[in-house]
Amino acid sequence: SDVQLTNEPSLKIAKHQEQTDITRWRCLDEKGRLTWRYLEDDDEAEEWPQSYPDKWFLGLDLGLPELPEPTKPIDAFRNGLTFFEKLQLPSGTWGSEYGGPMFLLPGVVFAWYATKTPIPWYKATAIKSYLKARANPDDGGWGLHIEGESTVFGTAMNYTTLRLLGVDADEPFMVKARGTLHKLGGATHGPHWAKFWLSVLGVCKWDIVNPIPPEIWLLPDWMPIAPWRWWLHIRQVFMSMSYIYSKRWVCEETEVIRELRKELFVQPWESINWFSHRNSIAAIDNFHPKSWLLNTANWFLANIWNPYCRTKGIANKAEAWVSKLVDMEDANTDYADLAPVNAAMNTVLCYIRDGPGAYSVRRHVDRLEDALWVKDEGLLCNGTNGVQSWDTAFAIQAVIDADLAEDPRWRPMMTKALEFLDDQQIRENVVDQDICHRQQRKGAWAFSNKYQGYAVSDCISEALKSVILLQKTPGYPQLLDDQRIFDAVDTLLTYQNSSGGCASYEPTRGSELLEVLNAAEVFENIMVEYDYVECSTAVITALSLFNKYWPDYRTAEIKRFKDGVLAFIKRKQYPHGGWYGNWGICFTYATMFALESLASIGETYATSPCAKKGCDFLISNQREDGGWSESYRSCETGVYTEHPSGSQIVMTAWALIGLIKADYPDIEPLKRGTRLIMDRQCANGEWKQEAIEGVFNKSCMILYQNYKFTFTLKALGMFAKKYPDERP
Ligand code: LAN
């Protein structure tokens, strides 16, 4: 009754209300698959009360008592863990918002819209709240990520999202956003992906989209540009995009689409020359301008290939093959897909191909829920379907590093965490591994969960470390037998590049030169896998630990592998002593991992010039108040830059962990850093969210909500273990 439909009854999109009732949201944990429910029914809400994690995710008061004031780091550790324990989910993992990127939610909403999926009022309302809260206060637009300046990408996509959800164009915040979009040149000046999505909706015409030929999937594997060599994310996104582009499919025209055509552009829609705007892009969106080679290829494809050479036969063959590859992706992930970008596009693809109501469409729509998240600000889309295995691994390591895993007080929590990793280990390779060019994954862990099932070198490493450490602690069940540990190591050993380093999902398969084909405009370094310091160092640390307990397993290969990684790490050290981080901000993050890995093979401050230089780098950046602080600008510029809001507990913890692992000899700086973390702790043991911690592709920031527990605890625990009697 309170659901008001727009004038498109067939789409059943509800008008928003002012806000949802925050006490009615619940996060459902089905063995690490996390989805949100809104309980409209009072009885149901009473039967399923909000848990501590629910309340915490939603910013509600947990009503926890104040804990005794800590005098030593170990007390602060205990208080912190007492709080963090309350946030453990039934499956044994911890949940987390994983927001930051501002281009993911629009994809999901567009997929709902294109597939005529009903959007209940509470989702529409919660999305409206989130986007309103996240509009840039000065100009009302949205950026690439939550801390970024307004772009056409962010503003055109999120404005359109709101309009599709039934938000009025006359609302003051919409007027403001539209003004900003127009100042930036309007939606004709968006990057490739914005043009793609707006063409699917029929707000733009397909002529504005630079070619995305599915034919590229027909190239033989030996060719240096064959897509199986590309970085996984780009490959998977480009795949479904190319099918939809090839079909030039447009969703049903509705009143709101016709209105959007009037709102998003700076000239009358009918007069726009779409073809001529293929390369129009606002300066702020053009983070990585297209190469002349790509521009030439685009010109050829658009002017010669498409009109004159592309036969129906070629198009059909290419579409059919891409469609098969998408089927494999869907089957291998039970429709969860690699990430919400390709998940949204695959949803549309299945709708086009299989029709409304098809199982593929229904399952996709259901799976899109896995990436959605609710918080006090409203509903958003996470960067992946969660951070489950990754966060669980670090939670375990924090307790191990404090030497408290044997303490019966923490054993139930730790056992549950171990059970989670046990359940989440991937037990088999994908069926069509060679055909769809998947990496070996038996024995591995994914970043989120096994349903998504994409192994990552450092996710395997961190989970493996945690499992070994706990199973070697007296009193823990031996859930993974040796063979399953060996499976993980076997897969890990497939990850080394010729450089000695390791990449993320797969060893690097193509040349860096492929970067000239980067068509996304808004990201850098996305075309192939690169060697990442964090990934490489995590692997070496895991293998060192493994060696300790199984010295005879593939000994020579492991030694060779570790030597290669070690040489790589040493090469990658900056003259100032730090290492550049690709997935966390930035030098502080990677330097922690580098020092930890060096320590794992016995290289510390006293014994290794490389480790000493790394420590000196960290010490040189310690601030007056004892903390460390780094801004995401470091990632963009490659120059260590402090965050304007001062010391950050997460970076302080990273620096302390690196220093303590490297056995830094002077306790004074360590005490000052530890003090800062203790001072920032709340009376109930919690730490509050500070600046954003993560990054990808140099330009896009992403939040790691649990780092303020896992790493602060680890740092406190390590300090306490090393200096049990010190009171910083
Ligand atoms: C992630 C998240 C986890 C991250 C680590 C494990 C931390 C890292 O060490 C290796 C790379 C990895 C797995 C990673 C890769 C890129 C991801 C998946 C993300 C940063 C989360 C979101 C991002 C993804 C690419 C977002 C969609 C954007 C596109 C350009 C397709």
Side-chain angles (χ1 to χ4, degrees):
S1 58
D2 50 9
V3 176
Q4 260 184 286
L5 300 179
T6 62
N7 45 4
E8 263 72 63
S10 66
L11 298 179
K12 293 212 193 81
I13 291 185
K15 274 261 192 226
H16 53 274
Q17 299 192 340
E18 254 340 287
Q19 56 190 30
T20 62
D21 175 355
I22 203 99
T23 66
R24 291 181 186 271
W25 287 104
R26 307 285 184 275
C27 179
L28 178 67
D29 172 16
E30 295 163 296
K31 292 185 161 204
R33 178 192 186 198
L34 309 180
T35 49
W36 285 84
R37 301 283 186 280
Y38 190 74
L39 307 182
E40 290 190 86
D41 182 83
D42 286 340
D43 294 338
E44 214 188 336
E46 209 164 289
E47 271 163 41
W48 180 2
Q50 277 184 323
S51 63
Y52 282 124
D54 287 335
K55 289 186 183 167
W56 188 75
F57 300 143
L58 294 162
L60 294 169
D61 183 23
L62 270 57
L64 293 172
E66 291 195 2
L67 298 168
E69 178 150 350
T71 50
K72 293 207 245 164
I74 197 65
D75 308 322
F77 177 94
R78 286 209 174 87
N79 286 358
L81 199 59
T82 303
F83 185 86
F84 196 48
E85 184 187 34
K86 296 274 189 300
L87 304 185
Q88 191 176 31
L89 293 169
S91 65
T93 186
W94 282 262
S96 169
E97 176 199 340
Y98 193 39
M102 289 305 288
F103 57 92
L104 302 172
L105 188 57
V108 173
V109 174
F110 298 168
W112 286 340
Y113 195 82
T115 58
K116 302 187 181 181
T117 301
I119 305 172
W121 72 268
Y122 48 84
K123 280 192 190 163
T125 298
I127 291 174
K128 179 184 171 192
S129 308
Y130 179 75
L131 291 180
K132 223 173 151 178
R134 283 296 164 184
N136 287 326
D138 42 338
D139 63 10
W142 294 270
L144 181 66
H145 58 92
I146 50 176
E147 293 197 10
E149 301 142 274
S150 301
T151 58
V152 175
F153 194 23
T155 309
M157 299 271 283
N158 288 299
Y159 180 93
T160 303
T161 302
L162 287 163
R163 292 288 286 125
L164 295 183
L165 293 172
V167 177
D168 239 41
D170 295 335
E171 286 216 37
F173 82 104
M174 296 294 275
V175 175
K176 198 169 164 192
R178 206 159 59 231
T180 295
L181 178 61
H182 288 180
K183 268 198 212 113
L184 291 168
T188 47
H189 285 60
H192 198 206
W193 293 8
K195 287 170 171 155
F196 166 84
W197 270 121
L198 293 176
S199 302
V200 170
L201 294 174
V203 176
C204 288
K205 291 214 166 173
W206 274 106
D207 276 350
I208 200 175
V209 182
N210 264 320
I212 319 168
E215 293 87 286
I216 204 155
W217 260 268
L218 300 177
L219 296 178
D221 286 352
W222 59 262
M223 285 195 63
I225 66 164
W228 72 279
R229 300 175 189 277
W230 304 356
W231 188 43
L232 180 62
H233 278 280
I234 287 311
R235 180 161 105 221
Q236 299 297 46
V237 170
F238 207 94
M239 201 151 80
S240 26
M241 269 177 107
S242 73
Y243 181 96
I244 301 168
Y245 167 84
S246 183
K247 295 265 186 221
R248 301 274 199 287
W249 186 83
V250 181
C251 76
E252 190 183 306
E253 186 179 306
T254 58
E255 191 48 37
V256 65
I257 299 289
R258 283 189 287 274
E259 285 167 8
L260 279 164
R261 292 176 183 165
K262 294 191 197 122
E263 295 161 23
L264 292 186
F265 304 95
V266 292
Q267 65 185 102
W269 193 80
E270 292 73 19
S271 71
I272 296 174
N273 179 346
W274 302 97
F275 195 71
S276 74
H277 276 298
R278 279 177 303 125
N279 294 312
S280 305
I281 181 161
I284 185 86
D285 287 75
N286 207 5
F287 185 71
H288 182 94
K290 296 189 292 298
S291 66
W292 66 266
L293 198 79
L294 179 61
N295 284 328
T296 312
N298 280 337
W299 182 91
F300 169 78
L301 289 166
N303 292 288
I304 311 287
W305 176 259
N306 282 350
Y308 301 117
C309 314
R310 189 175 197 250
T311 62
K312 199 84 206 110
I314 296 180
N316 287 345
K317 194 169 165 199
E319 284 171 14
W321 178 231
V322 163
S323 159
K324 268 216 173 90
L325 288 167
V326 168
D327 281 340
M328 287 180 225
E329 161 77 345
D330 288 344
N332 292 333
T333 58
D334 190 14
Y335 296 85
D337 294 342
L338 175 61
V341 188
N342 79 320
M345 293 174 182
N346 287 1
T347 307
V348 176
L349 185 153
C350 287
Y351 181 83
I352 299 170
R353 191 190 60 188
D354 306 337
Y359 173 77
S360 59
V361 179
R362 283 183 286 125
R363 189 66 182 151
H364 264 305
V365 167
D366 186 32
R367 277 293 189 188
L368 285 174
E369 296 296 317
D370 299 22
L372 300 181
W373 196 256
V374 184
K375 62 185 294 197
D376 46 357
E377 287 172 336
L379 193 155
L380 67 137
C381 181
N382 282 342
T384 56
N385 60 341
V387 194
Q388 294 85 324
S389 292
W390 184 249
D391 278 338
T392 308
F394 286 118
I396 293 175
Q397 289 175 34
V399 181
I400 296 274
D401 278 314
D403 227 358
L404 284 180
E406 276 188 74
D407 186 337
R409 168 69 183 85
W410 310 114
R411 202 173 296 151
M413 168 176 45
M414 286 297 100
T415 307
K416 260 171 72 183
L418 176 62
E419 284 164 359
F420 182 75
L421 291 183
D422 165 40
D423 180 49
Q424 290 297 321
Q425 190 184 28
I426 300 165
R427 306 293 284 275
E428 294 301 335
N429 290 324
V430 303
V431 190
D432 302 306
Q433 181 173 312
D434 295 331
I435 305 176
C436 55
H437 298 291
R438 285 285 300 265
Q439 176 71 7
Q440 169 178 332
R441 63 169 202 176
K442 184 172 181 185
W445 282 267
F447 176 69
S448 54
N449 56 30
K450 65 178 175 189
Y451 317 114
Q452 187 254 17
Y454 274 94
V456 187
S457 63
D458 56 354
C459 301
I460 309 173
S461 304
E462 299 300 346
L464 178 65
K465 262 194 274 177
S466 303
V467 166
I468 296 178
L469 287 166
L470 265 193
Q471 295 203 154
K472 293 297 172 191
T473 303
Y476 282 89
Q478 303 300 301
L479 301 178
L480 284 82
D481 60 18
D482 282 4
Q483 188 51 52
R484 286 174 62 189
I485 304 279
F486 298 158
D487 288 345
V489 170
D490 290 347
T491 288
L492 208 47
L493 289 176
T494 64
Y495 270 91
Q496 191 159 38
N497 285 326
S498 54
S499 62
C502 297
S504 56
Y505 298 90
E506 294 154 351
T508 308
R509 297 168 170 186
S511 155
E512 209 175 309
L513 291 174
L514 274 170
E515 225 46 70
V516 299
L517 298 184
N518 177 353
E521 298 158 321
V522 290
F523 304 114
E524 216 169 279
N525 289 5
I526 52 166
M527 288 307 291
V528 290
E529 282 272 10
Y530 291 88
D531 300 308
Y532 300 115
V533 169
E534 304 95 302
C535 297
S536 311
T537 52
V539 177
I540 217 176
T541 311
L543 289 177
S544 301
L545 180 73
F546 173 77
N547 269 158
K548 201 169 126 192
Y549 295 104
W550 292 273
D552 300 326
Y553 188 77
R554 297 183 68 177
T555 317
E557 284 150 283
I558 292 181
K559 170 149 191 341
R560 226 177 308 125
F561 195 109
K562 282 169 61 183
D563 289 346
V565 181
L566 184 64
F568 164 78
I569 294 169
K570 294 197 167 167
R571 267 202 324 274
K572 283 290 161 175
Q573 189 170 30
Y574 274 50
H576 57 42
W579 283 267
Y580 178 87
N582 282 278
W583 310 109
I585 298 172
C586 172
F587 289 97
T588 321
Y589 180 68
T591 303
M592 165 185 70
F593 281 108
L595 290 174
E596 185 169 10
S597 69
L598 289 171
S600 80
I601 50 163
E603 291 206 17
T604 58
Y605 187 89
T607 60
S608 153
C610 175
K612 176 173 181 307
K613 238 173 108 180
C615 291
D616 293 342
F617 166 77
L618 290 175
I619 292 292
S620 73
N621 287 310
Q622 189 171 27
R623 294 161 48 87
E624 234 359 67
D625 62 5
W628 279 262
S629 154
E630 215 183 330
S631 146
Y632 71 81
R633 296 285 177 205
S634 293
C635 311
E636 293 177 346
T637 60
V639 178
Y640 186 93
T641 313
E642 283 201 353
H643 197 282
S645 63
S647 293
Q648 308 287 318
I649 44 168
V650 171
M651 276 139 204
T652 304
W654 289 341
L656 289 174
I657 293 167
L659 289 166
I660 301 177
K661 288 270 177 192
D663 222 355
Y664 187 72
D666 180 6
I667 189 181
E668 282 315 312
L670 306 179
K671 278 167 84 168
R672 294 200 297 127
T674 306
R675 182 76 255 163
L676 183 116
I677 293 179
M678 290 174 72
D679 286 347
R680 296 258 175 109
Q681 190 174 30
C682 309
N684 62 4
E686 184 182 4
W687 284 275
K688 293 291 183 194
Q689 183 63 38
E690 298 180 350
I692 206 156
E693 304 89 350
V695 61
F696 59 91
N697 304 129
K698 291 202 170 178
S699 57
C700 195
M701 305 306 136
I702 191 157
L703 188 81
Y704 286 82
Q705 245 189 340
N706 285 324
Y707 281 3
K708 61 180 170 284
F709 298 107
T710 50
F711 287 107
T712 46
L713 288 171
K714 184 167 165 145
L716 289 176
M718 284 172 59
F719 184 96
K721 183 176 167 185
K722 190 164 177 194
Y723 308 104
D725 301 321
E726 287 289 344
R727 290 161 196 265

